[in-house]
Amino acid sequence: MSDHHVRMAYGSRAAEYISLLGNQEQMHHQDRRLILGWGEQVAGPVIDAGCGPGHWTELLRQQGLDITGIDIVAEFVASANRRFPETTYRLSSLRSLGVPDGSLAGVLAWYSLIHIHPSDMPLVIAEFARAIKTGGRVLLGFFEGDSPRSFDHAVITGFYWPIEEMKRLLEQAGFQVEGIDRRHDPGSRSHAAISCILR
């Protein structure tokens, strides 16, 4: 799935998406707990990669993190800058974070990888590893499945990932997995989160 296709699909429905999923109060309490707990372990500059409406970026800034939200969807970035003026947001891609090598203490990628085609996932994870310093941390949220296969997402095609396969890709890029969380809400897709540290 190219950045262009994702940008166009979300741009055309940005207002709807922000209304439905753009506030912390609309998020699952387990997600909030995981993200806040992860943030407590990070010291230094952080990127919220694929920040969407920007609510998680704002939450972590309120927690005291030096964090910037990035997204390829101009409508998301513009809205986030209006809604959360004390937090920094800019246009950028998961494939190119726009920061020097080893300059970050962490990357949050909360359900922003779900539209990355499986053949491109190693490149995105390698970009995270390039940008993060040794000892830096990553937290990924994604939909768990039995294989890296597509599904019909409400906006544009998404992809399930098996936890073990995502773990393997992270380890190949130099990360050490520290924690795995899973959640299955009745009537919805299975959720997974992996936290890891760059060796």
Side-chain angles (χ1 to χ4, degrees), residues 38-46 64-66 103-106 133 135-137:
W38 175 81
E40 290 174 353
Q41 303 175 71
V42 182
V46 176
L65 269 69
D66 174 14
S103 61
L104 298 178
K133 64 183 179 182
R137 297 176 179 275

Side-chain angles (χ1 to χ4, degrees), residues 127-140:
E127 172 63 2
F128 292 177
R130 178 201 67 77
I132 292 175
K133 64 183 179 182
T134 300
R137 297 176 179 275
V138 167
L139 178 62
L140 308 179

Side-chain angles (χ1 to χ4, degrees), residues 108-155:
L108 173 67
W110 200 247
Y111 291 87
S112 56
L113 300 179
I114 65 169
H115 303 298
I116 300 294
H117 192 277
S119 63
D120 291 337
M121 189 65 78
L123 301 175
V124 173
I125 292 176
E127 172 63 2
F128 292 177
R130 178 201 67 77
I132 292 175
K133 64 183 179 182
T134 300
R137 297 176 179 275
V138 167
L139 178 62
L140 308 179
F142 56 97
F143 292 114
E144 182 187 4
D146 55 8
S147 64
R149 58 185 173 85
S150 64
F151 66 88
D152 290 330
H153 185 271
V155 180

